[in-house]
Every structure is written in structure tokens, then in C-alpha cells.
Amino acid sequence: MANVAVIGAQWGDEGKGKVVDWLSERADVVVRFQGGHNAGHTLVIDGVVFKLSLLPSGIVRPGKLSVLGNGVVIDPWALDKEIAELTARGVSITPESLVVADNAVLILPVHSEIDILRESSNVSTRIGTTKRGIGPAYEDKAGRRAVRVSDLADKDMLAKRIDMLLEHHNALRRGFGRDEVNADTLVTQCLEIAPKILPYAGNVWRRLNDARVAGKRILFEGAQGVLLDVDHGTYPFVTSSNTVAGQASAGSGMGPSAIGFVLGITKAYTTRVGEGPFPTELDDENGQRLGERGHEFGTVTGRQRRCGWFDATLVRQSMITSGVTGIVLTKLDVLDGFEELKIGMGYMLDGKELDYFPTGMGPQSRVEPIYETIEGWSDSTEGARSWAELPAEAVKYVKRIEELIGVPVVLLSTSPERDDTIMMRDPFAD
């Protein structure tokens, strides 16, 4: 049995929640390996909707171990709130079902505050963050001044770590004309939340290795999408972590050989939340129709997503940078009823044809998509659970996407319901 890493192959919001939940029935352990509570996953189980932002999708399934790896930045107050909300809805969450990496970095109130100050003042290069402190927390991690989960258990060390943190943050706050943060106050806040978080803290790399040695099936759950990767995405309009499949190893403490199958989640069209380039974006009735039919609003922010045609060039790059084995194509049913569909095949840049998306902000803003037109279909694909139930034109559309991105479709999702899925290949069986 192979372990499986699930990553978004576009700009996030591809439907990873449903897919991870569908796969978690076959898994023993589900691991989040990057991001924070800026990543929303919506699950629909037996008609009941769960909206998660930090906890792994496997948390709603009894008998599974859910893990927040060291690559995740954790807001302890947000984590406590999410645990309380799910518990109130009948989901049992205990130290036996959830483990939080003791070497994971914490998001503190100073992080969200500086995030808001930057995003509000730097209008000309606004990134479009969720203002939840994700980026500043990763900055402090790289700057070696961050507070980690394990520090909550040592009051004296916690105070030292916070002094180091505030030496940096208070200088920034002075630059914005804001009052400095009192170190004693922040220490007190951390000590108050510590008893809610520390029972879940543990040595994640060892727990995962023990699971691997015991033959357990491990599912690695990514957040956001490859096009938001801090290195390989549309920089600077990206998230603050690596979202490619390789991060599943670094963000969990497992070696890369432990990750067998890389599953890329891809919408049958394209969406994006926030600022940044989007070559195939539609500012017309087709874009509006995709947004309305696909219910394209962010799980975390509620922001309306920008919508456009499928961009095969961008997805092909995601396949390469993440070493994707197979994809899940989601929301095919949203395309029902279109007389014709378009697929982005490449770009024109200053009179030159490109088969890749350029790196620089300038060229990215000037590219024009080259389209191939595909015949649409009038019959419904919603709820289909076999190829035989799909219109011939829908099958042709799926096959054409496979050809253009160079990776096979192994799962096809035809509605938000978990069981409305067509499986061509079981990732765990590889």
C-alpha cells in the first residue's frame, strides 16, 4: 500500500476537502503539513456540512489519527475554537485522535496585527492575504525568533522567546506609529491558552514513523495550491509556505521515500481568490455563470472567487513541480449546459508564443491566453458515478485535459457529495 500526498494543482479551492475525506476512509492517519487557518476545507458527509480551516479533514472520521505537522503555523486560539465547535457538533477530539507537532510555530496576536497593518497600508502591492498572521509567523520562523508549541510548557523559556520576538515586532510597530506590545501581557495570554493545546502536543516525526513501520496508510493533506507556492507560484501573490508535494516530507518529518503517490486536485475550470495574475479569467457572463453554479465563495473569508476557463499550461507546470502521479478532476458538473468550452493552451507575450507561464511580474501581467475551443454538453453530469453515465462530450473534455497536462485523471468528482466520485485507480493500491 502506498502513502498518498494530496495537493491543490491550481490556486487552491479545488475541492481537496471532499477528496481527502473520501480517501481518509482508506487511510489510518491524515496529516496537514503546511499553511495555517487561512486554508478552508468544506466537507459534505451524509448531507451534513463541515467547514474546517486548520484541523485535518480526517478529524471528522472516527478511528483516524489526525496530525498537524511541523510545517503548519498554528494559531492556538483558532485551534481551540475549532476543536470546541466540532466537539459541540458531536465530533470526538482527544489526544488519541489528534496530535500537534511540538516543534510547530505559533501564530500570536502580534502576527495578525502586523499582517493587517501591512495589507491595509501597502495598497499599491496588496497581496490579498487573509490577514490572519500566516506570513509574519513564517517570517519569524525563518528569522529564528518564533515561539513554538513546546515553548508553552516552559514559562521561563517562553518569556525569553517572546522577548526576542518583540524586539523585532515592536520595531515594526513603531514604524507604523503603533504602541509597543507588552511582553508580560503576551506571556500571560500564551500561558492561559497553553493548557488547551499542550495535551495534543507530541513528537510527530516519531509517531508517523511508528505508523509507517506498522504498515499504516498515511494521507498527507496539503492546503492552498501549487500556484500559490512561495517558490513556484505567481510570486509575490502567493502564500508564505511551500505548497508543492515535496513539503509533505519537510512539513511532517518523514523522508521523501515515505510518500508514494502524489494526487493533484484540479477543478474542471479555474478560480482564484485575492490579487495576482489570472490569464484565463472571465469578466463576462460566462465567468459569472461559473461562479454562481460553482458556489465560488471562500470557505474561510467568504470572498467571491475569480473564475475562468481551464488553464492547461499552468496545471502542467504544477504537475512537474510536484511530481504528480494522477489528478482528481473536480466540479465537472459546473460545466453542464455550456454550448462550448475553452481550454488555455499557452500564451502570447509581446508577439511570441509561450508554452509556459513566465516568472516575472511584468511578463505575467502581459500574457494573453491561447485557447482551444471544445464542444460542450447539455446533459447533466451531476452525481455521476461511472463513465457510462457521462455525456460523450464530457468524456472528450476530460481526455483532452489529460493529454494537455500529461497526467491521467484517476478520480472524477461530479458533486460535493463524497460518494459522487468515479474512480479509475485507487491511489492507496499503488
Side-chain angles (χ1 to χ4, degrees), residues 310-375:
F310 186 86
D311 191 328
T313 308
L314 280 172
V315 174
R316 185 169 61 247
Q317 289 183 207
S318 295
M319 302 297 100
I320 294 169
T321 56
S322 271
V324 174
T325 313
I327 70 165
V328 180
L329 194 66
T330 67
K331 292 200 168 186
L332 183 68
D333 54 301
V334 174
L335 301 180
D336 292 351
F338 280 88
E339 291 186 9
E340 64 177 31
L341 305 166
K342 293 185 178 181
I343 298 177
M345 305 281 292
Y347 312 106
M348 293 298 299
L349 175 63
D350 303 333
K352 180 181 179 181
E353 187 172 332
L354 300 180
D355 62 356
Y356 65 93
F357 195 57
T359 301
M361 289 178 64
Q364 287 182 355
S365 67
R366 298 197 306 275
V367 297
E368 295 291 336
I370 300 171
Y371 286 119
E372 175 180 305
T373 301
I374 305 289
E375 183 182 358

Side-chain angles (χ1 to χ4, degrees), residues 81-93 200:
K81 180 181 178 182
E82 194 167 332
I83 290 173
E85 289 174 348
L86 288 177
T87 300
R89 298 185 64 185
V91 178
S92 177
I93 302 175
Y200 301 101

Side-chain angles (χ1 to χ4, degrees), residues 175-299:
F176 280 104
R178 298 303 176 100
D179 293 337
E180 295 186 6
V181 172
N182 180 271
D184 291 339
T185 300
L186 187 53
V187 169
T188 298
Q189 290 177 307
C190 290
L191 291 176
E192 287 174 349
I193 195 65
K196 301 288 187 70
I197 305 302
L198 286 175
Y200 301 101
N203 192 322
V204 159
W205 64 266
R206 183 181 292 275
R207 291 284 295 272
L208 291 178
N209 185 65
D210 290 345
R212 181 189 63 81
V213 171
K216 303 291 186 181
R217 288 168 291 190
I218 303 172
L219 184 61
F220 298 90
E221 175 184 10
Q224 291 97 26
V226 173
L227 299 178
L228 291 174
D229 185 274
V230 69
D231 289 306
H232 301 288
T234 50
Y235 190 92
F237 303 100
V238 293
T239 194
S240 299
S241 61
N242 287 111
T243 59
V244 293
Q247 181 63 18
S249 175
S252 66
M254 296 199 76
S257 61
I259 302 165
F261 194 104
V262 178
L263 189 63
I265 316 300
T266 309
K267 271 181 184 166
Y269 50 101
T270 310
T271 63
R272 178 166 199 169
V273 172
E275 308 295 325
F278 187 167
T280 62
E281 184 173 10
L282 295 171
D283 294 317
D284 58 13
E285 62 181 14
N286 285 326
Q288 183 176 355
R289 183 177 177 183
L290 288 171
E292 291 174 351
R293 294 204 60 190
H295 305 290
E296 297 297 351
F297 296 91
T299 301

